[in-house]
């Protein structure tokens, strides 16, 4: 081969020098150079002959199975940026078929975080020609640090040779969506020298002039430059966006402090903001009262806080903390942040009485969203008998003239806390959540017993040998109440089952099965009363029966589309329309249903392109925190007091190997590290085994699939380790919604006062904090270590207050 070796051509291309945006970095190897350059591997496989270009190519065969590739750290300029890695080249073989794979791996801190193989068997069509191959992966922003890209040819077929030439790698910054309004400097007011002092205490000062509200620390250093109001609304189909100032009206003094009152009059609304300052407290309370002056649609309205100092801590929506490696944009849900430290700090945290918070760290802007349409995604299938899959996005709020709303939040100033306790999403120290939600379609008693008890032959839950009950994995299982149209499983099972679809009213053995799994901790709810649109009488009958026998607050929509048969009583068909004969929202309230499945993310494919193979999360949190995605939410203007919970896709395990792909331990532990909540969408007892989670055992007995049992066992182990909360919709949302009524106050001495304003006790109330150790009312609570956090938990009775102290010495 002589000295003919490897050529590296490296292009680093930039936009105009003043923008600084990286466009691409390209590594290309045509194997024709006399010198070695770059981080290429597999150089010893290079040989001379019938190359695609020039004289040289790389050969792998039965003796040398690993070939040409690259081992390259993610370049520094891509740190904390989402990156697309594109790979292309030309391949040839001497034998068909050829099962070679071009392999791509990401290795972070000596651990493989991603493995992907480009299958070449379908590309290599003959033994004469060179064929082009290409593929790409996305490297998430949070995974760029300390990550090594490694690629290589892997000749899995020892009986053939595989040749590769003209290998190219491109690194491109991935274009990210932004969910923040862009406010120009001209739109943002700054404090003026004419601002007057209106309040002062030991922690902060408030200055006001005609168009600015400024907060400084006790030594006079600026903490908040200004507070304004932003709105994005539609009136008579015409959209408008405004950034408005607050006009000071008056102050009201009391023995404890002052109330500072402001007004903001926009085109269509009148807002009053009351800022309550206490002489003896570092905490300021903000109340926003809004009255609509005309009917309008709201996409966003926000209080905009321009903060002055650098970020100290960002309390992410997944309950972890960013204190360095700060990204440019965050959706914080109702968590918060700490700006500055000590006397020059402000902390906003736990804001259940606003929609969400978003953060623009580049421009130092905090958006406290009073209403934001991405926080309550909602769509409908309008009734249209001649249409199919026609959807209307109705996520924006509709407010009528004279509608009134009140919002509130708190900001604490001058805290010496380097970190504060954050509410965990789960009780009793669990770090992540996995919830099975089963949809009722086309099941048979035999497949139900197999997937819950392990075998169709087992009729007693206590004798289970596999399935959900054996591994004590609870399910939110939806069912049909009746089958007036005598729907069978024949078509859905491709003729394997001729039985009627399982429903309560038509199968007493199925009803007994449901009672058994209810007693094992499963949440049994309606998947609508029947396969098609029901009658009002049957709807009430079904709701009454379910309330009496199962008491579930959950509901899972079924059969959504535009036709009149498509369960028009469902949430995303006609259930919210008062003039519809299928109006259901009042009945849900009457019969105790309050937690409704919302299929928005599934039907709209919202996060389809934002997955990362090693994770169950969708979207993957490693891409950043810019996506708005709540675990649950209300939509008062459309669905009153109901809570929505979302799923992102349905799980169908068509091949046995997919069980390990979906539920391998590494993937589940990745979910735990990121403190993710996963609501799945499954059909375990569907009478088609390619959709269900059962198979045929000896003598054609229906049993739970081996991979299904293995997955349940893995989940069970992680629960036993205290990491993964396996629960139901009802239990999970009972806990999460209770947190909204827990009051959180930072006291003058930096302790935290926690008060339970619920009418019931909250068991295992959990927090995480970066501290040496913690006391609750002077005692050390139940706790554990998790990364940099101590996770601790305790019970709190209704009306009770507990005092949390962080000790760092």
């Amino acid at each position: 081969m002589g000295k003919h070796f490897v050529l590296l051509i490296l292009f680093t291309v930039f936009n105009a020098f003043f923008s600084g945006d990286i466009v691409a970095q390209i590594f290309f190897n045509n194997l024709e150079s006399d010198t070695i350059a770059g981080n290429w591997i597999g150089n010893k496989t290079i040989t001379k002959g019938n190359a695609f270009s020039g004289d040289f190519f790389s050969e792998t065969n039965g003796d040398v199975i690993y070939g040409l590739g690259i081992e390259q750290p993610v370049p520094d300029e891509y740190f904390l940026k989402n990156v697309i890695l594109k790979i292309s080249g030309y391949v040839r073989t001497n034998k068909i078929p050829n099962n070679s794979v071009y392999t791509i791996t990401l290795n972070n801190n000596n651990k493989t975080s991603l493995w992907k193989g480009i299958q070449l068997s379908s590309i290599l069509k003959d033994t004469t020609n060179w064929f082009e191959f290409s593929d790409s992966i996305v490297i998430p922003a949070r995974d760029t640090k300390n990550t090594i890209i490694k690629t290589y040819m892997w000749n899995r077929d020892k009986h053939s040779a595989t040749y590769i030439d003209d290998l190219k790698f491109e690194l491109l910054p991935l274009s990210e969506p932004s969910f923040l309004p862009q406010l120009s400097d001209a739109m943002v007011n700054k404090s003026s020298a004419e601002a007057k002092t209106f309040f002062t205490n030991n922690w902060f000062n408030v200055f006001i002039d005609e168009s600015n509200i400024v907060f400084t620390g006790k030594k006079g250093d600026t903490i908040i430059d200004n507070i304004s109001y932003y709105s994005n609304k539609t009136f008579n189909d015409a959209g408008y966006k405004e950034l408005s100032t607050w006009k000071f009206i008056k102050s009201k003094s009391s023995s404890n402090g002052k109330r500072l009152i402001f007004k903001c009059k926009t085109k269509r609304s009148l807002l009053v903001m009351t800022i309550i300052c206490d002489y003896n407290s570092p905490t300021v309370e903000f109340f926003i009262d809004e009255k609509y002056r005309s009917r309008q649609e709201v996409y966003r309205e926000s209080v905009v806080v321009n903060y002055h100092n650098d970020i100290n801590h960002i309390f992410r929506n997944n309950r972890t903390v960013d204190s360095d490696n700060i990204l440019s944009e965050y959706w914080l849900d109702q968590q918060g942040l700490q700006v500055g430290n000590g006397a020059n700090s402000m902390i906003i945290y736990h804001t259940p009485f606003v929609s969400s918070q978003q953060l623009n760290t580049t421009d130092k802007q905090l958006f406290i969203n009073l209403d934001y349409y991405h926080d309550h995604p909602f769509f409908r299938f309008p009734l249209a008998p001649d249409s199919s899959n026609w959807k209307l996005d109705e996520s924006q709020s509709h407010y009528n003239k004279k509608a009134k709303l009140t919002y509130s939040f708190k900001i604490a100033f001058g805290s010496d806390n380097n970190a504060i306790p954050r509410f965990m999403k789960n009780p009793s120290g669990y770090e992540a959540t996995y919830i099975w939600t089963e949809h009722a379609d086309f099941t048979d008693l035999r497949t139900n017993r197999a997937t819950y008890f392990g075998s169709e032959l087992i009729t007693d839950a206590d004798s289970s040998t596999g399935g959900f009950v054996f591994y004590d994995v609870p399910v939110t299982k939806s069912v049909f109440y009746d089958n007036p149209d005598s729907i069978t499983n024949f078509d859905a099972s491709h003729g394997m089952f001729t039985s009627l679809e399982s429903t309560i009213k038509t199968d007493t053995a199925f009803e007994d099965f449901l009672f058994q799994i209810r007693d094992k901790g499963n949440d049994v709810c309606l998947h609508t009363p029947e396969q098609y649109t029901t009658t009002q009488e049957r709807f009430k009958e079904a709701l009454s029966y379910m309330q009496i026998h199962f008491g579930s607050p959950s509901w899972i929509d079924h059969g959504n589309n535009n036709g009149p048969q498509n369960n028009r009583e469902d949430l995303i068909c006609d259930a919210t329309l008062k003039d519809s004969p299928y109006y259901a929202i009042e009945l849900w309230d009457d019969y105790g249903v309050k937690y409704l499945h919302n299929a928005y993310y599934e039907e709209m494919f919202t996060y389809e392109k934002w997955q990362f193979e090693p994770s169950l999360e969708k979207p993957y949190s490693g891409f950043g925190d810019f996506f708005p995605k709540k675990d649950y939410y209300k939509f008062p203007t459309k669905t009153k007091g109901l809570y929505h919970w979302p799923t992102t896709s349905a799980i169908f395990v068509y091949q046995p190997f997919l069980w390990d792909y979906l539920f391998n331990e590494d993937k589940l532990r990745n979910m735990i590290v990121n403190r993710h909540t996963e609501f799945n969408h499954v059909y375990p007892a569907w009478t088609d085994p390619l959709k269900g989670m059962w198979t045929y055992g000896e003598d054609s007995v229906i049993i739970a699939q081996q991979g299904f049992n293995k997955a349940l066992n893995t989940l069970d182990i992680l629960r036993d380790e205290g990491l993964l909360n396996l629960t139901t919709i009802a239990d999970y949302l009972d806990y999460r919604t209770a947190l909204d009524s827990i009051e959180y106050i930072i006291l003058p001495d930096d302790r935290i006062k926690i008060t339970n304003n619920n009418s019931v006790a909250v068991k295992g109330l959990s927090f995480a904090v970066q501290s040496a150790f913690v006391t609750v009312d002077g005692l050390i609570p139940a706790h554990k270590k998790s990364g940099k956090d101590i996770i601790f938990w305790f019970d709190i009775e209704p009306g009770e207050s507990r005092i949390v102290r962080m000790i760092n010495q």
Side-chain angles (χ1 to χ4, degrees), residues 438-449:
E438 180 184 0
H439 297 227
D441 304 75
F442 301 112
T443 74
D444 181 272
L445 179 61
R446 293 176 293 165
T447 56
N448 275 290
R449 285 173 172 166

Side-chain angles (χ1 to χ4, degrees), residues 94-108:
N94 67 347
K95 185 178 179 181
I96 296 294
N98 181 308
N99 295 317
S100 293
V101 173
Y102 197 81
T103 303
I104 312 161
T105 65
L106 299 179
N107 297 287
N108 189 281

Side-chain angles (χ1 to χ4, degrees), residues 721-782:
E721 292 180 20
L723 299 173
L724 187 60
N725 186 21
L726 301 178
T727 185
T728 62
I729 293 295
D731 288 345
Y732 182 70
L733 291 186
D734 281 350
Y735 178 79
R736 288 293 302 275
T737 56
L739 299 185
D740 294 338
S741 295
I742 300 287
E743 187 176 19
Y744 185 107
I745 299 176
I746 299 174
L747 298 175
D749 61 359
D750 291 329
R751 295 179 301 164
I752 310 296
K753 182 180 180 181
I754 305 297
T755 302
N756 181 9
N757 291 325
N758 292 280
S759 60
V760 296
V762 178
K763 301 296 183 182
L765 178 62
S766 291
F767 295 87
V769 67
Q770 294 181 1
S771 179
F773 66 96
V774 176
T775 63
V776 176
D777 293 340
L779 301 175
I780 297 176

